[in-house]
């Protein structure tokens, strides 16, 4: 194929073999969030570039080098959203739904775009499910976010494979004091820092803590610790969060170097990490951003949220063999018909059965074919049972009912009794 007809590097098709797992994952999360009282919000995929510069911060990796930015036909600078929080804050402000202290618990799902180096678990179009809570400032809601994700890992069978890392960044004042101390310390070791860290020391010094460079990491061992600079309020908030996690029995480790890539966090930050995906180990990340709404032109409004990477979680489910078996089955029943008259009867019968069993997953053969070829298709569909309608069955107004996965002999079922029979063997819920 010529180059122009290929998908863009790092932007993937999700093929029909993969979509059942995506839908299982997305459905599980959506149900969980519904059950905790969160409501979905849908924002546009494109926003004014200014929105991301103002919220994420000019000197972050995302804004400096990862955004898909272009001028539209009016000359406005637009950007494909690299994350969801900025647009969500914009939306709640624009519609006034956080005014007067109104609490909002919102979630979103959709594609995000970052021009990164594509590799396993890291793409240029990727998908997140995220949530944001506005106007609740206590540690109880931070804990709820983490408790919900813990429940999700439980439902998916991933609890043993993820680890919770926590830190508190304090208020912007205490973080400012810490930043000064860190800069002073690092300035004494500038020549031993890696190039990126030297640059960050000037632009965004906390991000130096995030370095992957071993020599810089070695220097950081003796660096001042954020925990020693926390203000009393942030300290109490953090203790409140930990007490709640302890009450539920959720294990965590405090990672004093956890600073997150975005500028807007304060107090709680957390990441769920795994060692099952190589270098792309963070599957869910978030934190509190009490200053963000005001920074974006709103009234002071506490906020907290997280986002998880769907690709990474889907990869994990596959790697750990946690894909539910029934996802391989497209349909429960496959109806084979032989000859024009039987096909007509089969179509009418299948529609009657669907009326009676709206959740029945039944595929009717299309395109005709011999006995052998229709059976091959029935088998490939993953169906548990084949229904057979040929001239003999037509004459007697019955169908052949044949278990395809070795649960008993073929039997004949009267058309009128078919729905009731299928209800006992395949339809649940
Ligand atoms: P990382 O450190 O892996 O680059 P991040 O801190 O940039 O992640 P966030 O902006 O917090 O990530 O996004 C939340 C989640 O979205 C991440 O934990 C990850 O699971 C997922 N994610 C982020 N970037 C990508 C990407 N390029 N491809 C796939 N998933 C991603
Ligand atoms: Mg990143």
């Amino acid at each position: 194929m010529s180059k122009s007809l290929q998908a863009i590097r790092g932007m993937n098709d999700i093929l029909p073999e993969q979509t059942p797992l995506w839908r299982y994952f997305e459905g599980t999360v959506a149900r969980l969030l519904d059950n905790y009282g969160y409501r979905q919000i849908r924002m546009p995929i494109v926003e004014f570039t200014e929105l991301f510069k103002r919220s994420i911060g000019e000197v972050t990796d995302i804004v400096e080098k990862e955004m898909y930015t272009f001028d539209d036909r009016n000359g406005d600078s637009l950007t494909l959203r690299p994350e969801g929080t900025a647009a969500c804050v914009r939306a709640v402000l624009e519609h006034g739904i956080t005014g007067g202290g109104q609490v909002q618990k919102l979630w979103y799902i959709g594609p995000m775009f970052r021009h990164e180096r594509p590799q396993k678990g890291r793409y240029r179009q990727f998908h997140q499910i995220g949530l944001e809570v506005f106007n609740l400032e206590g540690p109880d809601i931070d804990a709820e976010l983490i408790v919900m994700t813990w429940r999700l890992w439980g439902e998916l069978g991933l609890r043993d494979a993820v680890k919770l890392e926590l830190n508190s960044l304090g208020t912007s004042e205490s973080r400012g004091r810490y930043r000064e101390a860190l800069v002073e310390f690092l300035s004494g070791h500038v020549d031993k820092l890696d190039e990126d860290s030297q640059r960050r020391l000037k632009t965004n010094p906390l991000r130096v803590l995030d370095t992957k460079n071993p020599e810089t990491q070695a220097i950081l061992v003796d660096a001042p610790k954020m925990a020693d600079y926390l203000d009393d309020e942030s300290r109490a908030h953090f203790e409140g969060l930990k007490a709640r996690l302890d009450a539920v029995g959720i294990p965590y480790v405090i990672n004093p170097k956890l600073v997150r890539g975005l500028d807007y966090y304060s107090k709680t930050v957390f990441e769920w990490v795994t060692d099952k995906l190589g270098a792309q180990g963070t599957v869910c990340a978030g934190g509190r951003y009490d200053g963000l709404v005001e920074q974006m032109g709103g009234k002071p409004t506490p906020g907290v949220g997280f986002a998880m990477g769907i690709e990474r979680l889907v990869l994990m489910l596959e790697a750990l063999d946690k894909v539910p078996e029934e996802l391989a089955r497209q349909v429960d029943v496959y109806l084979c018909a032989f000859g024009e008259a039987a096909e007509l009867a089969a179509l009418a019968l299948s529609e009657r059965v669907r009326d009676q069993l709206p959740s029945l997953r039944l595929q009717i053969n299309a395109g005709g074919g011999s006995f052998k070829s229709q059976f091959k298709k029935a088998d490939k569909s993953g169906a548990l049972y084949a229904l057979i309608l040929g001239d003999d069955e037509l004459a007697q107004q019955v169908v052949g009912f044949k278990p395809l996965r070795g649960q008993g002999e073929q039997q004949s079922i009267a058309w009128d009794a078919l729905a009731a029979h299928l209800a006992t063997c395949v339809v649940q819920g």
Side-chain angles (χ1 to χ4, degrees), residues 308-329:
M308 53 184 126
I310 302 182
E311 281 83 356
R312 290 185 194 176
L313 284 156
V314 163
L315 279 169
M316 254 186 106
L317 290 168
E318 287 171 339
L320 297 170
D321 218 3
K322 300 291 183 188
V323 181
E325 229 170 77
E326 60 272 18
L327 295 186
R329 196 162 71 237

Side-chain angles (χ1 to χ4, degrees), residues 61-62 66 114 116 122 126 207 261-262 312:
D61 285 352
I62 293 182
E66 295 176 357
R114 297 183 195 176
E116 305 196 64
R122 188 175 296 285
F126 62 100
R207 294 295 316 278
L262 291 67
R312 290 185 194 176

Side-chain angles (χ1 to χ4, degrees), residues 21 37 74 82 131 161 173 219 340 386 390 408:
L21 181 55
N74 307 327
L131 69 76
E173 296 79 47
I219 289 165
E340 173 83 4

